[in-house]
Amino acid sequence: MDRRDLPEILWYARYDDVYSTTKGFPYASTLYTGHRRGHQYAVNKKVTHTGGTLTIDRNAWDAPVAIVG
């Protein structure tokens, strides 16, 4: 695979309960540097706010969410 075929930003799921985009990164540390990583580190976590319980996923993010313009 040619590096030009890779996406510019990577959002990966690794359910290790580690809030980080660098610790435990499952690929070469030279890939997706410079604020281009998102890490979904927890899934189906129950949280309660003001009496209501939600099931959510947790993410560590070090990348733009949207680029406008």
Side-chain angles (χ1 to χ4, degrees):
M1 177 182 349
D2 188 327
R3 184 167 171 94
R4 293 174 297 186
D5 296 335
L6 297 175
E8 291 182 27
I9 297 171
L10 180 69
W11 181 4
Y12 65 99
R14 183 175 189 177
Y15 305 131
D16 54 7
D17 287 322
V18 176
Y19 179 81
S20 175
T21 59
T22 56
K23 292 179 184 173
F25 184 62
Y27 307 101
S29 61
T30 57
L31 293 175
Y32 303 103
T33 58
H35 310 291
R36 297 187 306 149
R37 296 179 186 171
H39 173 202
Q40 187 173 43
Y41 65 90
V43 66
N44 296 332
K45 297 293 183 175
K46 295 202 182 300
V47 295
T48 301
H49 292 283
T50 62
T53 301
L54 299 171
T55 302
I56 64 170
D57 298 338
R58 297 213 179 252
N59 301 286
W61 202 260
D62 185 21
V65 175
I67 299 174
V68 180

